[in-house]
Amino acid sequence: MNSLKGKNAVITGGNSGIGYATAQKLVEAGANVIITGRSESKINLAASELGVTGLVADVSQVKAIENLVARVEGLLGHVDILFVNAGIFAPAPLGAISEEMFDEQMGINFRGAVFTIEKFLPLLSNGSSIINLSSVNAYSGMPNTAVYAASKAALNSYTRTAATELAPRGIRVNAVNPGPVSTPIFGKTGLPEEQLKEFASAMENRVPLKRFGNPSDIANLVAFLASDEASFITGAEYNIDGGIAVNPILN
Ligand code: NAD
């Protein structure tokens, strides 16, 4: 089993969905975990449920990331596992892409990820592991996701360069590309319930394994990549998607 005993971990967006499940998994594996999120009440509730420390930091604000890093340094000293997970999904078709939606989505999913890593660099121990939460959308032409998919494709590209630049410090950088996972992210789009249900059943049908992923499915992979068992893995990407990325054109 992969033990993370004594390792210090930071999970951005750890109060919900995949981040929450990963916090649970890392705690079980023996890590000291700090989760972050935007909403104080949600982060406090999640932190007390998980028995971890919760800190408020909006990753779209570089100043907030700097404050977060200072607080983490005071609490943990150094970081061995950085799970760059915070993200939003704001679907819109071409013709209805607003500047606001573009800036928000790129600002959290890509710019937020880049500056999270940038500011945590001094705290990362040699031999630490960064895991970037991307999406199979980075490789699909799914309608309404042009900006979301581009934000994740940019993150995957960034991951490769970061892996080579940080290799001399023994820092590994990998990306995880989930397919559809049952989390609150879809409810936050503001789409009507009926439309969300249709979307979910159409999506489920496209997945060869015929189900959405559970947040714990993703947490298991992240825990592995965070562990020393993955010590030769860097610059890699893992699809974890029930096979949707290889769904055949014809069955
Ligand atoms: P979620 O909505 O349950 O969790 C998102 C987390 O990100 C929350 O904790 C939220 O507080 C945090 N967050 C959002 N904006 C933030 C900001 N500006 N600053 C700090 N924290 C912020 O959704 P989830 O599905 O668990 O999403 C986690 C990641 O997984 C995202 O990057 C998402 O793009 C990615 N992803 C999700 C799916 C899926 O189907 N659920 C598929 C592929 C990729």
Side-chain angles (χ1 to χ4, degrees):
M1 289 311 288
N2 59 68
S3 169
L4 302 176
K5 202 163 172 40
K7 288 193 189 281
N8 295 337
V10 173
I11 299 174
T12 66
N15 62 276
S16 174
I18 294 167
Y20 184 99
T22 304
Q24 223 162 11
K25 177 77 189 175
L26 298 195
V27 167
E28 279 167 24
N32 311 311
V33 177
I34 290 181
I35 59 168
T36 79
R38 266 195 300 196
S39 148
E40 185 161 14
S41 57
K42 287 184 186 163
I43 201 77
N44 287 344
L45 178 64
S48 77
E49 285 170 2
L50 290 161
V52 302
T53 302
L55 298 175
V56 176
D58 181 341
V59 299
S60 67
Q61 308 296 323
V62 173
K63 192 81 211 145
I65 301 173
E66 286 171 350
N67 291 340
L68 170 68
V69 170
R71 294 184 67 189
V72 170
E73 184 172 21
L75 289 164
L76 299 178
H78 71 276
V79 172
D80 305 299
I81 300 163
L82 180 59
F83 183 31
V84 182
N85 165 74
I88 58 163
F89 177 61
L94 267 72
I97 294 174
S98 66
E99 283 182 65
E100 191 191 12
M101 171 277 234
F102 179 96
D103 289 345
E104 195 188 6
Q105 213 159 193
M106 292 301 277
I108 295 172
N109 295 1
F110 183 52
R111 188 175 180 275
V114 168
F115 284 98
T116 296
I117 294 169
E118 197 67 22
K119 300 299 172 188
F120 268 103
L121 275 181
L123 251 59
L124 289 172
S125 58
N126 291 348
S128 57
S129 172
I130 299 172
I131 300 109
N132 292 326
L133 211 284
S134 185
S135 170
V136 289
N137 278 109
Y139 296 98
S140 79
M142 185 174 134
N144 303 324
T145 68
V147 176
Y148 177 76
S151 73
K152 296 300 192 182
L155 183 56
N156 288 0
S157 172
Y158 166 89
T159 298
R160 290 188 284 275
T161 309
T164 60
E165 287 195 23
L166 297 179
R169 285 178 58 188
I171 299 175
R172 298 180 295 104
V173 192
N174 294 293
V176 168
N177 304 333
V181 181
S182 302
T183 74
I185 202 168
F186 302 106
K188 295 174 186 172
T189 54
L191 293 171
E193 186 68 16
E194 203 47 42
Q195 208 174 326
L196 285 175
K197 274 193 190 143
E198 275 172 32
F199 169 78
S201 84
M203 186 70 88
E204 213 160 72
N205 240 346
R206 295 281 306 159
V207 177
L209 290 180
K210 298 293 174 220
R211 69 169 176 91
F212 268 51
N214 297 312
S216 60
D217 293 324
I218 314 304
N220 290 338
L221 176 56
V222 174
F224 167 68
L225 289 171
S227 76
D228 293 339
E229 290 179 0
S231 65
F232 199 50
I233 302 176
T234 195
E237 277 178 39
Y238 290 86
N239 290 348
I240 174 160
D241 65 350
I244 198 167
V246 292
N247 204 349
I249 293 168
L250 280 176
N251 282 312

